[in-house]
Amino acid sequence: MEFYRGMSFWVTDNEELSSPLTNLTIQKAEKELGFKLPHSYIELLKEKNGGALNYPYFLIGQDKQRTSMDYINGIDFEGVERGIGILKSAEWTKKQGLPEGLIVLWTDIHTWIVLDYRNKIENPSVVYFYEDYSSEDGQWKSVEIAPDFDTFLSVLFRGSSLNPKDLKASYGRKKE
């Protein structure tokens, strides 16, 4: 496992998701969202305004289940019409029955990774929401990934989470 340590966060390619991020764009987005975005998130968006990640994995829960997200949403005023970017967060979460006060970093509709502003005005926690298929009403459950975005960045990794020394010998074919 190689943890993110401040370099090469984004997968670099020729595709940009939206216009370059300016301070005015950030201020406009924060006003529209009603929340101040984490400084480290903004700094990453200034490098690339959303996209694929070089460090897509993290561990959640007491059993440290390996989970992933392949991209993080950026700020895209033009993309709102196409349904992309964090400015769609309130619409998405309301439609899915999730609580108010969440900014969607990533989703596949059944699971969500969000900045959770429900109990904080600034410096939100990063939370993983998932559908609970074991309940009849399909309620949403959640697990905090990190108490803030900076801590979240420090738990992202790439590569295997398995230690080959901990694996049992495989059961291969018997030699004839």
Side-chain angles (χ1 to χ4, degrees), residues 60-120:
I60 61 169
Q62 292 177 332
D63 60 350
K64 301 293 183 194
Q65 180 181 347
R66 180 179 166 158
T67 309
S68 69
M69 62 180 184
D70 52 355
Y71 66 90
I72 284 185
N73 286 316
I75 298 170
D76 189 352
F77 282 97
E78 294 142 17
V80 170
E81 301 300 319
R82 298 186 311 264
I84 60 174
I86 64 171
L87 299 174
K88 296 293 284 188
S89 294
E91 181 182 325
W92 290 336
T93 54
K94 182 177 182 179
K95 185 176 181 179
Q96 296 299 321
L98 288 160
E100 291 181 9
L102 306 177
I103 304 297
V104 179
L105 296 175
W106 175 89
T107 183
D108 68 0
I109 302 302
H110 302 287
T111 55
W112 301 73
I113 299 169
V114 301
L115 296 172
D116 186 352
Y117 286 91
R118 291 177 296 170
N119 299 317
K120 296 180 179 179

Side-chain angles (χ1 to χ4, degrees), residues 25-160:
T25 304
I26 295 163
Q27 290 170 355
K28 186 177 171 185
E30 288 178 333
K31 183 176 181 180
E32 187 169 318
L33 292 166
F35 302 110
K36 183 162 178 50
L37 296 169
H39 177 75
S40 51
Y41 174 66
I42 291 169
E43 291 304 310
L44 288 171
L45 293 183
K46 285 181 178 178
E47 290 176 27
K48 184 176 179 185
N49 191 5
L53 308 178
N54 275 322
Y55 297 85
Y57 303 108
F58 55 94
L59 304 173
I60 61 169
Q62 292 177 332
D63 60 350
K64 301 293 183 194
Q65 180 181 347
R66 180 179 166 158
T67 309
S68 69
M69 62 180 184
D70 52 355
Y71 66 90
I72 284 185
N73 286 316
I75 298 170
D76 189 352
F77 282 97
E78 294 142 17
V80 170
E81 301 300 319
R82 298 186 311 264
I84 60 174
I86 64 171
L87 299 174
K88 296 293 284 188
S89 294
E91 181 182 325
W92 290 336
T93 54
K94 182 177 182 179
K95 185 176 181 179
Q96 296 299 321
L98 288 160
E100 291 181 9
L102 306 177
I103 304 297
V104 179
L105 296 175
W106 175 89
T107 183
D108 68 0
I109 302 302
H110 302 287
T111 55
W112 301 73
I113 299 169
V114 301
L115 296 172
D116 186 352
Y117 286 91
R118 291 177 296 170
N119 299 317
K120 296 180 179 179
I121 295 173
E122 289 186 22
N123 208 17
S125 57
V126 180
V127 176
Y128 180 82
F129 278 87
Y130 60 96
E131 287 181 290
D132 181 9
Y133 295 112
S134 64
S135 70
E136 288 183 27
D137 57 2
Q139 296 255 335
W140 290 101
K141 298 282 185 178
S142 64
V143 174
E144 182 178 276
I145 302 168
D148 55 59
F149 193 76
D150 287 338
T151 304
F152 175 65
L153 291 176
S154 74
V155 301
L156 292 175
F157 66 92
R158 63 180 167 191
S160 176

